[in-house]
Amino acid sequence: MAESAAKNFSDDEFLAVPVSSLLHRKASLSDLYIRLGTERMIKVAHKGGAIDVERIARFGEKNVQYLYVHRSEFSGIVSDLVRGAEHLTGLHQVPHDLKITKFFNIAESVYSELLNLPISDESLGRAMRLSTEIATNLREKPDFAKLVKSVVSMGDEFSRHSLGAVVMSNLLVAQLDWSSPKLLAPITMGAFFHDIGLKELPQELWFKNRIEMSREEIALYETHPALGVQMLNSIPFITPDVLRIVQEHHEIPNGAGFPNKLRLDRIFPMAKIVSFGNMLAHEMFDPNPDQPFSLDRMAQKIDHVYSQMFTTDLARAARRIFKKDDK
Ligand SMILES: [Fe+2]
Ligand SMILES: [Fe+2]
């Protein structure tokens, strides 16, 4: 088969895209390949040509989860997929009420901001896979959709922050080489709902700078992790891991966090990630017209501030997220 010409595989040349997020397109935006074994790529769709789902299924030993695209075409694919996230859920009859649509609009703004930032293609790919994970949850778990609505009802800034924490926490996981897919779901859920306890507190505290808070306000603010746990406790798909992430999302390995000033390994590992992901999300996605994001400033802050708060492996992981690809 001429069109199936095999190519030698190089990790530098190709990047993976989840197959489930490609199949809604009538025409492929780029050449698509299937990876055979560890070394060969087989072309299964031409740029502009139809995506033949059955043909792909024949190649994949039963369960092909990823197709591969050329590195040069990856950014275009990612931005298309982000725009397609809502469509993805529509395919599976998710109730299309306004709140969920709004969620995807906010997701689109977070992801398109990522596309404009100098972070690596690989990181972008990870972020994009998350939209598939969230879409799957919306599709399969009505209770999840209800909870997402309650986050969205807390406003755009709050939703952007929650999604930002999801993205940054998962980028950290990817860079840490924690390869188990089992981590993706609890970290995504824990990061998305980490601040839900704030709903019980006066809104003016939600994003108030800590140094501007009175003693009483600080004490009240520090109850939001436990309030979040109370709110999520009785929901069947919220696992103990997710509850622990929510409870400990402000604990910091140097012991300066709250509510329990836990240090190092006393903090649940997934909560440590979300604690850092939460800070990076504030850094990257909070509106701050006076100080737009800069790669240099971020690198300096990781080296001089976050490396003192978090462990070396986490600080290194954060540095790798912001490494520009050498093309
Ligand atoms: Fe929080
Ligand atoms: Fe937060």
Side-chain angles (χ1 to χ4, degrees):
M1 273 180 282
E3 62 173 333
S4 304
K7 283 190 155 229
N8 284 332
F9 174 77
S10 147
D11 272 325
D12 291 343
E13 247 182 284
F14 292 97
L15 291 160
V17 181
V19 72
S20 58
S21 52
L22 287 169
L23 300 185
H24 70 276
R25 288 202 68 88
K26 286 201 180 77
S28 177
L29 283 181
S30 76
D31 291 347
L32 297 175
Y33 295 82
I34 277 186
R35 183 179 182 170
L36 283 190
T38 51
E39 290 183 346
R40 289 198 326 149
M41 305 295 276
I42 302 277
K43 193 190 280 186
V44 291
H46 289 285
K47 186 170 185 168
I51 300 179
D52 183 343
V53 183
E54 281 176 20
R55 181 154 184 270
I56 291 171
R58 273 204 305 279
F59 272 109
E61 298 292 331
K62 295 184 191 99
N63 192 5
V64 174
Q65 294 194 326
Y66 295 100
L67 295 176
Y68 289 78
V69 299
H70 273 289
R71 182 171 278 272
S72 59
E73 301 197 284
F74 189 68
S75 294
I77 293 269
V78 172
S79 39
D80 180 69
L81 291 179
V82 169
R83 284 193 297 274
E86 188 176 346
H87 178 84
L88 196 72
T89 57
L91 285 176
H92 301 275
Q93 281 101 42
V94 165
H96 260 242
D97 66 32
L98 271 175
K99 293 273 167 52
I100 298 291
T101 308
K102 181 122 201 204
F103 166 80
F104 280 106
N105 291 341
I106 293 164
E108 192 184 319
S109 85
V110 169
Y111 288 121
S112 56
E113 213 156 299
L114 278 177
L115 284 168
N116 292 323
L117 292 173
I119 64 174
S120 70
D121 279 352
E122 195 204 341
S123 297
L124 279 176
R126 306 270 183 187
M128 185 262 306
R129 277 175 227 166
L130 297 176
S131 58
T132 315
E133 168 77 8
I134 293 172
T136 307
N137 275 309
L138 282 172
R139 188 170 80 219
E140 290 170 358
K141 301 184 176 114
D143 283 346
F144 180 78
K146 226 187 280 169
L147 267 187
V148 168
K149 276 188 244 170
S150 87
V151 168
V152 172
S153 71
M154 292 168 80
D156 286 6
E157 192 181 359
F158 187 89
S159 309
R160 259 174 76 80
H161 171 63
S162 303
L163 264 170
V166 169
V167 170
M168 298 319 296
S169 303
N170 275 282
L171 292 181
L172 284 170
V173 172
Q175 296 298 341
L176 281 171
D177 241 2
W178 287 10
S179 51
S180 167
K182 284 190 199 140
L183 295 170
L184 189 65
I187 288 190
T188 298
M189 293 269 201
F192 191 67
F193 299 118
H194 74 278
D195 272 337
I196 200 163
L198 289 173
K199 198 167 189 168
E200 304 287 306
L201 299 180
Q203 198 168 343
E204 63 265 22
L205 286 185
W206 292 2
F207 289 100
K208 190 166 180 176
N209 201 324
R210 206 176 158 83
I211 46 177
E212 290 165 7
M213 287 184 193
S214 68
R215 276 242 289 266
E216 293 72 24
E217 284 177 326
I218 288 177
L220 196 57
Y221 182 78
E222 291 192 355
T223 62
H224 81 266
L227 290 170
V229 170
Q230 276 172 31
M231 290 168 75
L232 298 170
N233 222 344
S234 55
I235 296 169
F237 65 87
I238 297 286
T239 60
D241 285 351
V242 176
L243 293 178
R244 223 170 140 194
I245 292 171
V246 173
Q247 173 63 41
E248 298 179 15
H249 77 268
H250 280 292
E251 301 290 353
I252 305 171
N254 71 355
F258 66 84
N260 292 318
K261 296 188 167 35
L262 299 179
R263 290 178 65 86
L264 299 170
D265 292 342
R266 301 285 307 281
I267 308 172
F268 184 50
M270 290 191 226
K272 239 182 272 182
I273 307 271
V274 174
S275 173
F276 199 1
N278 174 45
M279 288 189 188
L280 293 174
H282 280 299
E283 207 72 67
M284 296 184 61
F285 301 111
D286 286 1
N288 186 353
D290 302 335
Q291 222 180 42
F293 177 87
S294 127
L295 189 63
D296 287 342
R297 202 175 39 247
M298 183 58 121
Q300 279 197 4
K301 192 147 182 192
I302 293 168
D303 289 348
H304 300 295
V305 181
Y306 292 130
S307 64
Q308 311 296 311
M309 302 165 78
F310 291 88
T311 45
T312 314
D313 57 336
L314 272 172
R316 284 205 187 120
R319 280 296 246 126
R320 282 196 295 271
I321 294 173
F322 298 102
K323 189 172 145 258
K324 182 93 181 108
D325 284 330
D326 300 321
K327 288 185 186 160

